[in-house]
Amino acid sequence: MRMELRVLQYFLAVAREQSISSAARSLHLSQPTLSTQLKGLEEELGKQLLIRGGNGSRKVLLTEEGRILRRRAEEILDLVHKAEREVSASDEAVAGDVYIGSGESDIVRIFATAAKTLQRFYPDIHYHIRSGNAAFVFDQLEKGLIDFGLVYSPVDTSQYNLLRLSARDSWGVLMRKDSPLSDKACIEPQDLWDKPLIISAQRNDGGPLSQWLQRDLSKLNVVATYNLLFNASILVDEGLGYAIGFDKLINTEGSNLCFRPLSPALYSEPSIIWKRYQVFSPPAEKFISTLRTLCN
């Protein structure tokens, strides 16, 4: 199989435009040429990737195999572009990109501090933060799409190097100021047993939150899950429930919301990780060196 990057770009253009004619115009190709390229890709893979519209419709939809290829093609092209930028960077001037994966956390400030420290000496380094849970971060690291990840999960040190951080995130409950629990200075496990809860979509069964609650999460009234606490805060503001998450992420000043810490206190300790034996680009090497200095 000799799938060409150029043809993957053509396929992604069609997936984006949902129209072969529109994609052809954006690619500056004739429609017959693009159709031939797509047909060749389907023949090479032995799978139908596109469903051409019927009944006069020109809309093009992806098959299940087409959706899989779209996801992988985006990852492949991202990785190719990243490699091109790294290889073309000058040996004399440190310039290029640093890619970071992280969940929501005020600890991301350490990345900002490192970037600001480097900016004075290396203004041509650019930073890209991709947000997601631990599974997302590990997946992106394995695919080579990010250089570093910030995680709270246990780390297999045979696969990853890690830099432990002294800072930690504290857990609490985001709620409306007119809610029954807002009068409390801190929230205890039994306070939440009968309340509608909004929790992180990251698996927590048997984890620190489940242990703190002293209950199996499946036995509690979890009305919603979230990936971003900001989105959860909107659900809270509308009165859907109580969101459990990290402190310092939502500015409650001047809003209908308030944040209360947990009691007993619950903390999560993060680590910055990267793949063992990874060869860093010059910008990534400067960045991890600065992070190590900041953490000492």
Side-chain angles (χ1 to χ4, degrees):
M1 183 180 297
R2 298 184 301 103
M3 201 181 310
E4 296 184 18
L5 295 177
R6 172 177 52 83
V7 179
L8 288 181
Q9 292 173 325
Y10 293 170
F11 170 74
L12 288 177
V14 174
R16 180 181 64 251
E17 299 288 342
Q18 296 187 321
S19 164
I20 292 177
S21 58
S22 296
R25 284 194 296 271
S26 71
L27 294 167
H28 305 290
L29 296 173
S30 69
Q31 186 171 334
T33 297
L34 180 55
S35 295
T36 299
Q37 294 288 339
L38 295 172
K39 184 178 179 182
L41 180 61
E42 289 181 320
E43 290 176 350
E44 182 179 358
L45 295 172
K47 297 288 184 180
Q48 181 180 359
L49 303 173
L50 304 169
I51 302 173
R52 281 73 172 176
N55 300 322
S57 172
R58 296 185 177 182
K59 188 173 184 179
V60 175
L61 301 177
L62 298 181
T63 63
E64 178 62 28
E65 290 80 5
R67 288 192 291 271
I68 293 171
L69 180 61
R70 178 180 187 173
R71 185 167 62 250
R72 298 307 181 199
E74 288 172 342
E75 293 170 352
I76 289 168
L77 291 175
D78 278 349
L79 190 56
V80 168
H81 294 154
K82 181 173 181 285
E84 288 174 344
R85 286 190 291 270
E86 291 176 356
V87 170
S88 63
S90 168
D91 290 335
E92 292 78 21
V94 177
D97 301 279
V98 176
Y99 294 85
I100 304 160
S102 173
E104 280 189 300
S105 169
D106 187 66
I107 305 246
V108 169
R109 287 182 183 277
I110 194 169
F111 295 136
T113 302
K116 182 62 178 176
T117 301
L118 285 172
Q119 187 180 54
R120 177 183 175 187
F121 305 100
Y122 308 105
D124 293 324
I125 298 178
H126 304 283
Y127 304 89
H128 311 275
I129 297 182
R130 297 174 175 174
S131 299
N133 60 19
F136 168 84
V137 171
F138 282 112
D139 181 66
Q140 293 281 292
L141 280 170
E142 284 303 310
K143 291 172 180 172
L145 298 176
I146 59 175
D147 301 303
F148 309 101
L150 180 70
V151 298
Y152 296 84
S153 304
V155 176
D156 181 355
T157 54
S158 69
Q159 300 293 323
Y160 301 97
N161 290 319
L162 62 85
L163 180 62
R164 296 193 187 278
L165 304 180
S166 57
R168 56 185 184 175
D169 280 301
S170 59
W171 290 76
V173 181
L174 188 68
M175 66 188 80
R176 287 174 59 103
K177 289 177 180 176
D178 60 1
S179 65
L181 297 181
S182 63
D183 291 335
K184 301 196 65 171
C186 53
I187 305 302
E188 300 174 288
Q190 60 269 23
D191 294 329
L192 300 176
W193 290 347
D194 62 346
K195 299 295 189 294
L197 304 181
I198 302 170
I199 66 172
S200 169
Q202 187 164 319
R203 184 174 178 83
N204 283 296
D205 292 344
L209 179 58
S210 180
Q211 294 174 27
W212 181 88
L213 284 165
Q214 303 169 20
R215 290 289 188 276
D216 187 324
L217 292 179
S218 64
K219 306 298 183 183
L220 297 176
N221 182 20
V222 177
V223 296
T225 63
Y226 67 85
N227 281 334
L228 298 173
L229 190 59
F230 175 79
N231 292 336
S233 72
I234 296 175
L235 302 182
V236 174
D237 194 35
E238 289 296 319
L240 187 65
Y242 296 78
I244 306 176
F246 289 159
D247 194 4
K248 300 180 181 179
L249 295 179
I250 303 297
N251 182 6
T252 60
E253 186 175 350
S255 75
N256 297 323
L257 306 179
C258 61
F259 187 90
R260 299 290 182 264
L262 303 183
S263 179
L266 178 63
Y267 300 100
S268 287
E269 299 180 350
S271 298
I272 298 171
I273 65 171
W274 60 97
K275 292 182 70 175
R276 288 183 68 85
Y277 313 115
Q278 180 170 337
V279 177
F280 284 132
S281 66
E285 188 65 57
K286 293 291 184 183
F287 190 68
I288 191 60
S289 176
T290 304
L291 285 172
R292 285 193 176 105
T293 301
L294 291 171
C295 291
N296 288 336

